[in-house]
Amino acid sequence: DMGMWTNAQGAQELIRVAPLLVHRLVIMAVLKWTQRLLLAALCGEISGQGHGHVDQCPGNVNVIGRGSTTLIATKVNMPNFPAGPVDNMNGIVMPGMWGRAYFADQCTNGTYDNNQYASIPLLGKKFTYNTDVSQAGCGCNAALYLVSMRQNIEVSACDDYYCDANSVCGVRCDEIDIQEANKFAWHSAMHRFDDGNGLATGLGGWVRDNHFE
């Protein structure tokens, strides 16, 4: 269950549409891989921009049920705002503050290609992971969500074909927020491409203009 819906019609429409989309995973904060996907967050101060060298191709991780899966790190968090680095230490993937990484089939340094992003058909399947957000303080957002970047043919203002419901990089697409969390709060919600706030209350509270109420 992705959340508590207040708009039944909107929920039914999105539930109808969502299985038709072949989504791929976007990972922010810290990812750890063992027999399951472990998601943790190490957040510093939220002021200040991303810093440090970003390795666009930080390596592969083993996804049970899919096998070896490539990670692609973005170099631009949002227009005119650089992303933080993403480290992969023996399968433990650790994006720094403002870091963002994507599942992919392959990675080519120096270029971003939407056809390289992984399309993972989740219909009829179960996605299981453990999460540790004990180090994610107030103001941090350790997020795990689904968007259709492989199907997006617009390069976006972040130069990596990124899209989401809030048009962070200038391109909108449907979005399923599995996790937006820190050690104080958790929020899950579904968004149509034109519904940045989410018609649903979600699990964890109502969001208006990206502010929790």
Side-chain angles (χ1 to χ4, degrees):
D1 185 3
M2 286 296 180
M4 302 296 293
W5 292 86
T6 56
N7 186 315
Q9 183 177 0
Q12 291 173 359
E13 173 66 13
L14 189 52
I15 290 172
R16 181 186 69 82
V17 172
L20 302 179
L21 301 173
V22 181
H23 291 284
R24 43 153 319 283
L25 284 171
V26 179
I27 310 111
M28 296 174 65
V30 177
L31 293 182
K32 295 182 180 179
W33 297 84
T34 56
Q35 292 300 310
R36 291 181 173 181
L37 171 66
L38 301 175
L39 176 63
L42 298 176
C43 289
E45 295 295 327
I46 63 171
S47 60
Q49 298 185 354
H51 60 279
H53 170 72
V54 174
D55 181 359
Q56 182 181 335
C57 303
N60 291 16
V61 293
N62 183 45
V63 179
I64 302 302
R66 189 175 193 273
S68 182
T69 300
T70 300
L71 287 169
I72 296 180
T74 186
K75 294 185 177 182
V76 181
N77 183 276
M78 63 185 74
N80 301 313
F81 195 104
V86 178
D87 297 320
N88 183 358
M89 297 182 296
N90 298 319
I92 299 176
V93 184
M94 302 182 64
M97 193 64 180
W98 304 114
R100 187 168 68 232
Y102 316 127
F103 280 156
D105 295 325
Q106 59 181 317
C107 181
T108 304
N109 269 309
T111 186
Y112 290 93
D113 183 348
N114 65 308
N115 293 308
Q116 292 186 339
Y117 294 132
S119 288
I120 303 176
L122 297 177
L123 184 62
K125 298 179 181 180
K126 180 183 292 185
F127 175 66
T128 305
Y129 70 101
N130 295 328
T131 185
D132 177 4
V133 293
S134 61
Q135 300 303 308
C138 185
C140 289
N141 178 15
L144 175 67
Y145 52 107
L146 310 176
V147 290
S148 50
M149 286 177 60
R150 177 152 183 156
Q151 292 74 30
N152 175 35
I153 60 174
E154 298 183 61
V155 68
S156 85
C158 293
D159 299 320
D160 62 356
Y161 294 89
Y162 179 76
C163 65
D164 60 19
N166 280 290
S167 190
V168 168
C169 295
V171 181
R172 292 186 180 274
C173 62
D174 295 332
E175 176 182 340
I176 299 177
D177 293 324
I178 298 174
Q179 171 182 320
E180 293 183 316
N182 57 40
K183 65 181 180 180
F184 299 109
W186 180 291
H187 184 80
S188 298
M190 293 183 176
H191 305 261
R192 287 172 56 94
F193 72 94
D194 57 353
D195 176 29
N197 285 327
L199 293 175
T201 309
L203 177 61
W206 173 256
V207 181
R208 186 186 303 276
D209 297 326
N210 287 322
H211 293 283
F212 289 94
E213 296 182 351

